[in-house]
Amino acid sequence: MAVRAAEAGCHLLLDKPVATTPALAAEVDAAASRAGVASVVFFTLRFSPTTADWIDAQAATGDWLLGRADWLSPVFGGADSPYAASPWRKERGALWDVGPHALSVLLPVLGDVVDVAAVAGPGDTVHLTLRHHGGSSSAVTVSHTVPPAAAGVTAEVRGPSGVATLPEREEPPVEAFGRAVDALLHARRTGLPHACDLRFARRVTEILAAAEAALGAVPDVGGASPTVR
């Protein structure tokens, strides 16, 4: 649908992930480039002022050595969540649902990823170790199968400047989504690409696909052994 929209001359406001394979992400990116349309992908924390300002400030510091991001939710861990009815979340797990959020925080601060390692945890939990361009490294844990008491979202970076911890988002997602709409309008008017455009989203897909390949299996949200491809 995104390819068809771009070919029809529509500017694109998309959810993450834009695709779950690098080939499909590249297809959408190429279609938008050919058509000359603007694109914005809605990584929630990048459009909420509290968290977006924190990310920009840490990126400007530029001397971080280590990073960590944990996105742990009980969607399939016993919580009464509307997302539990989502077929694609059941199929693809937390790696593809909240993994993009973790990367949207770490990549602007620590730089692009040059190496990925991954191991499976219980349920659909996945642990990632990332080496970033420039030599920094980070660890990411994502899950939709932790019990409610174990749920939480945290991110931090460490370096000569000390420790910086991601603040909690202070507004509902719908307000952040409105800012994403404004960002698309600005990109359309100015011709300047937004930081969360299709090229960034395509890179997120490539990194997560590399993690999935390193994992060698798709975790089962029911808690059974991973299915090896």
Side-chain angles (χ1 to χ4, degrees):
M1 291 176 64
V3 170
R4 290 169 57 193
E7 291 173 343
C10 297
H11 302 285
L12 303 177
L13 177 58
L14 305 172
D15 200 1
K16 55 76 202 164
V18 293
T20 54
T21 69
L24 291 176
E27 184 179 352
V28 179
D29 186 20
S33 180
R34 287 194 305 269
V37 298
S39 64
V40 166
V41 180
F42 184 49
F43 295 89
T44 311
L45 299 184
R46 299 290 294 276
F47 296 95
S48 177
T50 304
T51 49
D53 290 349
W54 182 89
I55 292 169
D56 290 343
Q58 309 326 311
T61 299
D63 63 351
W64 304 109
L65 300 174
L66 303 172
R68 178 176 67 88
D70 298 331
W71 252 256
L72 309 175
S73 88
V75 169
F76 303 114
D80 182 14
S81 170
Y83 300 114
S86 168
W88 84 267
R89 284 182 174 87
K90 291 181 180 179
E91 178 185 356
R92 307 303 305 212
L95 179 66
W96 286 99
D97 187 22
V98 294
H101 289 310
L103 293 179
S104 78
V105 171
L106 294 175
L107 292 183
V109 178
L110 300 178
D112 194 15
V113 170
V114 296
D115 193 28
V116 181
V119 296
D124 74 335
T125 303
V126 177
H127 304 279
L128 306 180
T129 303
L130 310 175
R131 184 163 59 89
H132 297 263
H133 181 74
S136 60
S137 63
S138 63
V140 175
T141 300
V142 295
S143 182
H144 275 329
T145 50
V146 299
V153 173
T154 59
E156 66 176 29
V157 287
R158 294 172 179 260
S161 300
V163 182
T165 302
L166 180 73
E168 292 188 14
R169 193 181 70 231
E170 295 179 345
E171 62 181 2
V174 66
E175 294 185 23
F177 187 75
R179 290 186 174 84
V181 175
D182 291 340
L184 181 64
L185 293 174
H186 183 266
R188 177 190 65 81
R189 286 193 301 265
T190 64
L192 300 175
H194 191 271
C196 292
D197 64 359
L198 270 169
R199 280 171 290 186
F200 178 76
R202 174 181 175 180
R203 186 65 188 129
V204 167
T205 291
E206 291 169 348
I207 294 167
L208 293 176
E212 193 172 65
L215 193 65
V218 177
D220 179 75
V221 298
S225 299
T227 301
V228 179
R229 298 190 181 201

